[in-house]
């Protein structure tokens, strides 16, 4: 049986990917990692993977094509999504590359059991306990997304509570930045069944602004794939947070703790990849847990770590009055 970790990346998130790979190496041990190509822009990633014996690149056009076609059919079933995206100049459907994460479920994929992590995450402890939970359930998560269903489903859809009970909505949704599952749990015949249900009006419940996260939640819930969330099942004094938006985590030797409990992973959710690239290029922009990111990003090349000599600027600082005036006059990019 092969266990492994998937992530999704291209060269634009290269700095974040390197930090993630280093965090896995140091904190999770000898777990195979497969990087799914977000698009064709992966030359830097290919070069990086060539230096790592336990990391491979998933770049199979046939598998990509069948899952992209499935995703396209999902959104064709939606009453307004395709037209709305076309009006915005979006080709085919929004965030096409992100649907490649589904390839981990494909019967021809690499790992029998897998953990998927977004590239903007860091692993902070061994993950064997997550893989072990897959002996009992087919889908395992560790987050508090259930508190915010509005970023998963269209809560104004009258169809939503016809399909899923409020109890399920309050306890079964998850963030697609971290989840564990198994190869083959959404076989072709099941996908066809899901498409049939979506075409019968159920697609109205999907949340267009986070298409792949919404579809993945729908697929798991509608197919009744067995589910476990550590955040809901661990004792309250043992469960930890995972999001960069939580300011109270304590740093001990580049491992974060939540009220004495070691985090499983840190998700830099909501922070633009541009921000990480700017910092790696030497701009002194401060953001939550920046030192943790920089530690893992430059773990094997500390001599390349940027040395800041200016006063840090907050990542969410308001533009100066002069900048706002220039922008209003159309004199800035």
């Amino acid at each position: 049986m092969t266990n492994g970790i998937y992530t999704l990346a291209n060269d634009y998130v290269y700095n974040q990917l390197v930090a993630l790979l280093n965090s896995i190496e140091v904190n999770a041990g000898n777990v195979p990692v497969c990087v799914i190509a977000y698009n064709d822009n992966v030359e830097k990633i290919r070069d990086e993977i060539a230096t790592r014996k336990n990391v491979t690149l998933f770049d199979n056009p046939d598998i990509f094509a069948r899952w992209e076609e499935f995703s396209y059919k999902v959104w064709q079933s939606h009453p307004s999504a395709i037209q709305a995206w076309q009006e915005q100049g979006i080709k085919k459907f929004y965030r096409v590359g992100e649907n490649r994460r589904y390839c981990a479920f494909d019967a021809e994929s690499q790992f029998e059991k897998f953990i998927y992590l977004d590239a903007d995450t860091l692993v902070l402890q061994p993950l064997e306990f997550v893989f072990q939970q897959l002996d009992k359930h087919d889908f395992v998560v560790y987050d508090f997304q259930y508190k915010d269903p509005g970023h998963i489903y269209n809560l104004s859809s009258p169809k939503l509570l016809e399909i899923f009970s409020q109890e399920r909505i309050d306890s079964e949704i998850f963030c697609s930045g971290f989840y564990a599952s198994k190869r083959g749990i959404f076989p072709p015949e099941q996908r066809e069944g899901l498409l049939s249900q979506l075409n019968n009006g159920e697609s109205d419940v999907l949340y267009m602004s986070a298409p792949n996260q919404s579809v993945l939640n729908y697929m798991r819930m509608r197919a009744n794939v067995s589910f476990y969330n550590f955040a809901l099942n661990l004792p309250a004094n043992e469960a930890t947070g995972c999001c960069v938006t939580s300011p109270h985590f304590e740093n001990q030797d580049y491992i974060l703790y939540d009220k004495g409990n070691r985090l499983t992973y840190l998700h830099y959710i909501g922070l633009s990849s541009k921000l990480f690239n700017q910092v790696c290029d030497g701009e002194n922009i401060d953001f939550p847990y920046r030192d943790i990111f920089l530690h893992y990003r430059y773990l094997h090349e500390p001599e390349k770590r940027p040395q800041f000599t200016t006063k840090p600027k907050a990542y969410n600082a308001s533009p100066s009055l002069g900048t706002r005036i220039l922008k209003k006059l159309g004199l800035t990019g």
Side-chain angles (χ1 to χ4, degrees):
M1 181 179 293
T2 305
N3 295 344
I5 295 171
Y6 288 108
T7 188
L8 180 67
N10 64 5
D11 285 352
Y12 190 68
V13 297
Y14 172 80
N15 289 306
Q16 291 163 284
L17 175 65
V18 171
L20 170 59
L21 294 177
N22 288 342
S23 74
I24 293 170
E25 175 188 324
V26 171
N27 298 321
N30 193 34
V31 183
V33 180
C34 182
V35 181
I36 302 171
Y38 182 91
N39 55 23
D40 294 335
N41 183 25
V42 289
E43 291 311 305
K44 290 173 66 176
I45 287 176
R46 286 185 191 277
D47 292 343
E48 179 66 30
I49 287 174
T51 70
R52 296 175 182 263
K53 63 180 181 180
N54 214 26
V55 184
T56 56
L57 182 68
F58 191 115
D59 194 14
N60 186 312
D62 293 334
I63 297 178
F64 288 162
R66 57 177 168 256
W67 286 95
E68 183 173 319
E69 182 63 19
F70 168 72
S71 295
Y72 187 46
K73 288 179 179 178
V74 167
W75 289 106
Q76 281 183 314
S77 74
H78 191 274
S80 61
I82 296 295
Q83 180 179 348
W85 290 330
Q86 286 179 344
E87 290 173 355
Q88 297 172 43
I90 296 170
K91 296 180 180 179
K92 205 159 189 180
F93 58 90
Y94 184 44
R95 295 180 176 174
V96 173
E98 286 191 7
N99 90 95
R100 291 184 174 185
R101 75 185 67 205
Y102 304 150
C103 295
F105 298 113
D106 197 273
E108 296 181 31
S109 65
Q110 183 172 341
F111 303 129
E112 185 171 350
K113 292 181 179 178
F114 67 86
I115 295 171
Y116 172 84
L117 288 151
D118 275 349
D120 62 342
T121 56
L122 297 174
V123 172
L124 298 176
Q125 71 160 300
L127 298 173
E128 187 56 34
F129 76 101
V130 180
F131 286 116
Q132 289 174 355
Q133 194 60 232
L134 286 174
D135 292 334
K136 304 174 183 178
H137 299 86
D138 289 333
F139 216 102
V140 177
V141 304
Y142 194 169
D143 68 61
F144 296 85
Q145 186 67 50
Y146 62 86
K147 295 182 178 181
D148 183 20
H151 283 84
I152 302 295
Y153 291 125
N154 171 17
L155 299 185
S156 64
S157 172
K159 281 281 187 180
L160 185 58
L161 292 179
E162 294 178 16
I163 305 168
F164 305 123
S165 68
Q166 189 64 54
E167 180 182 3
R168 293 191 70 190
I169 293 170
D170 291 342
S171 63
E172 294 189 29
I173 64 174
F174 62 94
C175 171
S176 63
F178 176 101
Y179 54 89
S181 192
K182 300 173 183 177
R183 181 173 60 199
I185 67 166
F186 297 114
E189 62 272 16
Q190 189 173 69
R191 300 200 297 270
E192 287 302 314
L194 291 169
L195 286 171
S196 178
Q197 291 165 321
L198 288 164
N199 276 298
N200 284 332
E202 294 190 6
S203 61
D204 186 57
V205 307
L206 299 178
Y207 178 63
M208 290 174 53
S209 295
N212 292 284
Q213 178 167 268
S214 185
V215 171
L216 187 54
N217 272 267
Y218 172 86
M219 289 167 63
R220 193 218 62 80
M221 291 179 68
R222 202 65 174 97
N224 288 310
V225 174
S226 60
F227 181 76
Y228 184 91
N229 187 346
F230 283 101
L232 284 168
N233 286 279
L234 287 174
N237 63 346
E238 294 181 18
T240 70
C242 58
C243 290
V244 71
T245 50
S246 298
H248 64 277
F249 299 148
E250 297 178 355
N251 180 4
Q252 298 179 27
D253 296 324
Y254 302 104
I255 300 294
L256 292 176
Y257 292 82
D258 185 353
K259 300 176 183 176
N261 298 301
R262 186 171 177 171
L263 266 65
T264 298
Y265 68 104
L266 177 67
H267 191 182
Y268 288 92
I269 190 167
L271 298 186
S272 168
S273 296
K274 179 181 178 180
L275 175 65
F276 292 86
N277 292 335
Q278 288 173 309
V279 169
C280 291
D281 287 340
E283 293 188 46
N284 194 1
I285 306 172
D286 196 19
F287 58 85
Y289 307 108
R290 184 182 75 168
D291 285 348
I292 300 287
F293 164 74
L294 289 171
H295 169 77
Y296 289 106
R297 166 60 183 90
Y298 295 100
L299 188 72
H300 297 310
E301 42 188 8
E303 72 283 357
K304 294 184 179 179
R305 179 169 173 162
Q307 302 298 312
F308 305 114
T309 57
T310 60
K311 183 178 178 180
K313 176 183 177 182
Y315 76 101
N316 56 355
S318 300
S320 67
L321 176 60
T323 299
R324 294 198 302 271
I325 291 172
L326 290 173
K327 186 173 183 179
K328 189 173 182 180
L329 294 173
L331 299 178
T332 61

